[in-house]
Structure formats: structure tokens, C-alpha cells
Amino acid sequence: MRVVSGKYKGHPLKPMPGKQTRPTTDKVKEAIFQVIGPYFDGGLGLDLFAGSGGLGIEAISRGADKVLFVDKHPRAIQAINQNIQTLNIKDQTEVYKTDAFRALKAAAKRGFVFDWIFLDPPYERVSFQSLFESIVNLNLVQEGSILVCEHSTNDSLPQDFEQLEQMKKVEYGSTIALSLYRVI
């Protein structure tokens, strides 16, 4: 695992130990950022179900001002913090060990509105419908915000959801799919 492009290009990232997560491959990461960037002039991101923090760190490397990282597993939080420390980007991050839905409510209470939300939950164990409802109902996005969903090819995500419009859906092999939504 490594940072694919930007300021920290080529820097290795420590993965979360164990088999509870599937790190996003370089190929998928590059595809995501070619659609949503590829580089940014500031902005705020949320890496929900962050694992080792690879997507959020990639966003910072490509110019995002700040990213919030959320995962409920202690080993994930440890890996995220080590990666943040290695790259010396603590001032551009906030890391939370909590449930995704609690994190969304807490972000809304703080008035956060995200430019990008990366959603990579455990395959087939979290409802994207419920995530979309929370994100939209809590006003965590605005026109132009982008949601990036990495999911199993078995998951059926909606073409559109309220003000979310699917920009792209791509399958990588027989197990990984990527669906990107823009807020209209």
C-alpha cells in the first residue's frame, strides 16, 4: 500500500493488521481520483470505515485541506494514526474511534459539510441506503459534494437517491465495485 499521487506520492502506508479490511488497490484509488479530482484546491473530506486511512490520506496528498477519519476498530485507528504520524499531517486530520452513524451525527452537530465522503464499509454488512439517508438528512453535503462508495458487486446501490445522482459505476473483477455520486 502506498500513496499513488500528489505531495506524498510513493510513500508507503501501513495497512491495518489482520483480514478484517481490504485495502483499496492502487488501481481503484487512481480510478476514484481521476473522476473526482485528480487534484484539489482545498476542501474537507470524510473517510468513513477508514481502515488504514488510505483514501483520506490520498485526498490530502492531492490537495484536500482536511480529512476526518472514522473507524470503530482499534487496530484501524492505530494504523491511521501511524500513517498520519509518518507523513506528518496531524494538523490536517481528525481521527475518531466510533460507529459510522454516531460519527455522522457528531459531524452534523459540529456543522461540517463535506466535499468528499469515502464510504468503504464491510461488504454486505452495512446498508448504503441508511448511510445515504443519514448523510442527506443531516445536511453533511452540499451541491457538488461527491460520495465514493466501494462495495461488493453483489450490493445493489440505487442509480439516484434524493439529491444524489450516480456519476459512475465500475466493477473491478468479480468482487469489487465502485459507485460515485454527486450532490445535485
Side-chain angles (χ1 to χ4, degrees), residues 156-174:
S156 179
L157 274 64
Q159 182 93 12
D160 299 312
F161 180 85
E162 296 188 23
Q163 68 253 44
L164 301 178
E165 177 182 69
Q166 191 175 68
M167 302 166 49
K168 185 173 190 154
K169 180 178 180 183
V170 181
E171 292 186 2
Y172 295 91
S174 60

Side-chain angles (χ1 to χ4, degrees), residues 107-108 111-114 133-142 163:
F112 284 124
V113 177
F114 297 101
E133 285 174 7
S134 291
I135 290 165
V136 168
N137 293 337
L138 292 169
N139 298 312
L140 294 170
V141 289
Q142 61 191 347
Q163 68 253 44

Side-chain angles (χ1 to χ4, degrees), residues 50-114:
S52 61
L55 290 173
I57 290 169
E58 188 74 32
I60 290 170
S61 182
R62 291 171 184 250
D65 289 324
K66 184 174 194 168
V67 174
L68 278 66
F69 296 87
V70 176
D71 206 295
K72 68 179 184 179
H73 296 290
R75 289 186 295 179
I77 297 301
Q78 182 179 20
I80 294 165
N81 283 323
Q82 286 178 336
N83 288 327
I84 287 169
Q85 183 178 359
T86 298
L87 295 173
N88 195 27
I89 55 173
K90 183 137 180 71
D91 60 330
Q92 292 179 272
T93 65
E94 292 182 27
V95 180
Y96 298 97
K97 181 187 168 291
T98 189
D99 171 78
F101 292 96
R102 277 196 177 136
L104 293 173
K105 289 176 188 171
K109 284 182 183 175
R110 292 181 61 193
F112 284 124
V113 177
F114 297 101

